Amino acid sequence: VRSSAASDVYKRQETVCGDGSSSYQPYSTVSVDSQGVGSGDSLCALRVGAAFDRSRYNVIPVDVHGLHWTCKGAGDRKVEVDKTDFSVPVGDGKIRFDYAFIMIHGTPGEDGKLQGYLEMMGIPYSTSGFVSSVETFDKTLCKRIVSEIDGLCLAREVLLRRGDRVDADAIAARLGLPV
């Protein structure tokens, strides 16, 4: 449900992190890390989730581990997120999220995968858009794009991928010394 007041844009917001209380409030999702519960990123997401105004938002933490997305249900049991409509079952019904506050480092939170999914679902989110996330996550692609900007100077580079043969003399010749 959306209000016309600018300060109250999202009445229900998805937060892939939070307490998931059973009383009706706006629903939020704060994306927790994809590295696993207990890591520093997860603790940070829980702290951010706790900072939301609980009188306005029902913050529900969602742990994202590859294709396995869960949140805490009654009795701290893990409840699987229904990715067909980005919702969680509650009793005989389900909670559909209205907004995602993404806090995932790396994939799928920074590389555009989660943003693309949320855009397909029609759910607004807190980070940059799908295209800019894809372009900036791939540093080589990003440099190619921004190199077209007149007057922008970029450092010379040599792209090395795992398994590439490294020829220090050829790299020094291309980049110049000192590097």
Side-chain angles (χ1 to χ4, degrees):
V1 177
R2 293 193 183 133
S3 161
S4 59
S7 64
D8 196 12
V9 175
Y10 300 109
K11 283 298 206 180
R12 295 186 334 170
Q13 156 180 321
E14 306 180 37
T15 317
V16 189
C17 142
D19 70 358
S21 69
S22 60
S23 61
Y24 180 80
Q25 291 178 339
Y27 293 104
S28 297
T29 335
V30 173
S31 301
V32 179
D33 71 2
S34 58
Q35 305 303 311
V37 175
S39 72
D41 288 345
S42 180
L43 181 59
C44 179
L46 293 174
R47 287 183 179 155
V48 169
F52 277 86
D53 180 348
R54 298 306 173 103
S55 68
R56 296 181 60 205
Y57 304 104
N58 183 9
V59 179
I60 300 173
V62 175
D63 289 314
V64 176
H65 302 276
L67 297 176
H68 189 68
W69 301 4
T70 61
C71 62
K72 283 186 182 179
D76 284 341
R77 68 180 176 84
K78 287 189 176 187
V79 177
E80 192 73 27
V81 172
D82 181 350
K83 291 185 283 297
T84 63
D85 62 359
F86 202 38
S87 67
V88 292
V90 175
D92 292 336
K94 57 172 53 178
I95 294 172
R96 286 189 179 91
F97 299 111
D98 293 320
Y99 186 80
F101 189 90
I102 301 172
M103 294 187 59
I104 299 176
H105 179 68
T107 190
E110 286 183 299
D111 63 358
K113 291 176 183 174
L114 190 53
Q115 291 84 348
Y117 165 78
L118 291 167
E119 285 183 17
M120 287 189 310
M121 301 309 293
I123 298 169
Y125 50 89
S126 61
T127 62
S128 59
F130 166 71
V131 173
S132 61
S133 295
V134 170
E135 291 172 343
T136 57
F137 193 75
D138 181 333
K139 303 311 179 223
T140 303
L141 174 62
C142 186
K143 277 191 85 170
R144 285 186 190 144
I145 292 168
V146 299
S147 70
E148 301 296 320
I149 299 171
D150 288 334
L152 180 65
C153 297
L154 296 173
R156 292 179 311 261
E157 68 178 311
V158 173
L159 175 63
L160 298 173
R161 291 199 160 88
R162 185 173 298 159
D164 285 354
R165 191 180 125 267
V166 176
D167 182 342
D169 292 332
I171 292 172
R174 178 178 166 109
L175 300 179
L177 294 174
V179 175

